[in-house]
Amino acid sequence: VVTMGQCYYNETIGFFYNNSGKELSSHWRPKDVVVVALGLTVSVLVLLTNLLIIAAIASNRRFHQPIYYLLGNLAAADLFAGVAYLFLMFHTGPRTARLSLQGWFVRQGLLDTSLTASVATLLAIAVERHRSVMAVQLHSRLPRGRVVMLIVGVWVAALGLGLLPAHSWHCLCALDRCSRMAPLLSRSYLAVWALSSLLVFLLMVAVYTRIFFYVRRRVQRMAEHVSCHPRYRETTLSLVKTVVIILGAFVVCWTPGQVVLLLDGLDCKSCNVLAVEKYFLLLAEANSLVNAVVYSCRDAEMRRTFRRLLCCQCLRRSTQESAHYTSSTRAGASTRIMLPENGHPLMDSTL
């Protein structure tokens, strides 16, 4: 008998799953095997890719600049997400029933913390890009202290959202508030997490839209005073492509999960969120792999560093190529814009 106001700290995982109506399998079903196989594959790719990015940033002195600190932090957050998802894959399916309440909160907290850190870092990168563009400032001259404070803020927010459920934002004392997707968490937590991610996306849309229109105006202004050059048109098209890739990747990977989290958080009884939750979580985890491609692998100097790290035989040749690479590097999904104005570059920006 469930009594309102009573706490159930000594109950099993099965008790809460039964309360929420979420099936707790006692054996490996085909669906479980498929999810774990896909999850392990994605996790390993995420780990290897982001380890390579961190190694590249650490080994190449060209990347020892504040903007690359943020890219390195994004890789670290995504690496953490890969570890968290790998931990989930080894503690899912029939193994979920054997978890203690503390073990379940650890499993959930790792995911929440890592994914929050990844999303928050995406917003921090957008904010710094906006600031450098509007201030007509090279990324190499960004204040290190400011970037470090942004990184600290990202992890404080991530740890806060990751640790709160285990300490207070759960439903162990209010079973009527338990969510279906995460039967130990309060529905309000899921709703807040989904709305926070939606807010991050809207802010990113606003920031990148403002950057695009600002740069387009500057390009048009330069074109009025300089003989028409195809690179001005290429710059605008590259900006469009970059913004579409950045925002499109976020929408594709995160929107499905945000929608089901919000529906569950709002207690939508007719919504069959349990049928798709595992696949949408896998898609959100895949964003940690997509981030590596969008923000780092499209950078020419980063690719040179990857080749140097992966191919020892090409070390000497890659070093010689880097010596001739005299233009400033681009970070992430970058579009280089060097429009002269009064003898100074408009920006050297990692859009």
Side-chain angles (χ1 to χ4, degrees):
V1 178
V2 175
T3 305
M4 297 302 293
Q6 180 181 351
C7 294
Y8 298 88
Y9 295 111
N10 296 321
E11 293 292 346
T12 64
I13 292 295
F15 172 82
F16 293 97
Y17 274 63
N18 289 334
N19 173 69
S20 294
K22 185 173 183 178
E23 183 181 1
L24 193 59
S25 59
S26 58
H27 60 280
W28 288 100
R29 300 167 297 182
K31 181 178 72 172
D32 298 327
V33 174
V34 170
V35 169
V36 169
L38 291 173
L40 289 175
T41 302
V42 171
S43 296
V44 170
L45 290 174
V46 166
L47 291 174
L48 294 177
T49 304
N50 287 286
L51 276 173
L52 183 60
I53 291 173
I54 292 172
I57 292 174
S59 64
N60 192 331
R61 295 183 62 183
R62 293 178 182 273
F63 299 148
H64 295 177
Q65 299 174 12
I67 188 63
Y68 285 98
Y69 298 168
L70 285 174
L71 292 176
N73 189 66
L74 178 62
D78 288 335
L79 180 68
F80 185 19
V83 172
Y85 200 75
L86 196 63
F87 183 83
L88 173 64
M89 291 299 97
F90 284 109
H91 297 84
T92 191
R95 294 171 183 162
T96 301
R98 298 198 290 268
L99 290 172
S100 64
L101 297 188
Q102 292 77 13
W104 190 94
F105 278 120
V106 168
R107 188 186 77 172
Q108 189 66 36
L110 289 173
L111 277 175
D112 293 345
T113 301
S114 59
L115 294 178
T116 300
S118 180
V119 171
T121 303
L122 294 179
L123 179 59
I125 291 173
V127 169
E128 277 307 299
R129 286 171 169 174
H130 177 271
R131 181 179 179 276
S132 64
V133 169
M134 297 303 164
V136 196
Q137 184 178 30
L138 297 179
H139 279 308
S140 59
R141 296 178 183 175
L142 289 177
R144 293 175 185 268
R146 175 188 171 88
V147 173
V148 170
M149 288 302 297
L150 272 175
I151 292 174
V152 171
V154 163
W155 286 103
V156 168
L159 288 171
L161 277 175
L163 295 176
L164 270 177
H167 293 87
S168 60
W169 215 341
H170 52 66
C171 63
L172 303 187
C173 301
L175 296 183
D176 60 316
R177 299 178 185 175
C178 291
S179 67
R180 284 183 290 165
M181 291 174 59
L184 276 68
L185 299 186
S186 172
R187 289 193 302 272
S188 62
Y189 175 78
L190 268 63
V192 168
W193 207 98
L195 290 173
S196 299
S197 298
L198 177 61
L199 177 61
V200 167
F201 171 70
L202 293 176
L203 289 173
M204 288 175 61
V205 169
V207 168
Y208 282 113
T209 300
R210 185 149 190 250
I211 290 174
F212 169 74
F213 283 112
Y214 175 83
V215 172
R216 193 180 69 168
R217 279 199 311 271
R218 299 303 291 267
V219 168
Q220 291 173 343
R221 190 177 302 172
M222 292 302 99
E224 293 175 359
H225 301 285
V226 182
S227 58
C228 185
H229 195 283
R231 290 192 61 183
Y232 290 117
R233 180 176 177 79
E234 291 172 6
T235 295
T236 304
L237 293 176
S238 295
L239 273 173
V240 173
K241 180 180 177 181
T242 298
V243 171
V244 168
I245 289 175
I246 290 174
L247 299 180
F250 192 92
V251 168
V252 170
C253 293
W254 279 106
T255 300
Q258 290 171 2
V259 170
V260 295
L261 280 175
L262 189 57
L263 290 175
D264 193 16
L266 297 176
D267 197 22
C268 177
K269 300 293 187 183
S270 61
C271 305
N272 190 14
V273 295
L274 297 179
V276 294
E277 56 147 348
K278 293 183 183 296
Y279 302 104
F280 287 172
L281 176 59
L282 178 61
L283 189 60
E285 174 61 26
N287 184 245
S288 295
L289 182 60
V290 174
N291 286 341
V293 176
V294 172
Y295 286 86
S296 294
C297 296
R298 296 179 69 223
D299 184 284
E301 179 67 10
M302 187 72 76
R303 292 196 299 271
R304 286 187 182 85
T305 308
F306 290 162
R307 287 196 295 270
R308 187 162 62 244
L309 290 172
L310 295 173
C311 181
C312 294
Q313 296 177 349
C314 301
L315 177 61
R316 182 176 300 178
R317 180 180 176 183
S318 297
T319 304
Q320 291 174 348
E321 288 178 356
S322 295
H324 291 88
Y325 185 74
T326 56
S327 58
S328 300
T329 58
R330 298 177 298 175
S334 60
T335 300
R336 181 175 310 281
I337 302 161
M338 296 292 289
L339 303 177
E341 181 174 355
N342 298 327
H344 299 285
L346 171 60
M347 60 179 163
D348 184 3
S349 173
T350 58
L351 297 172

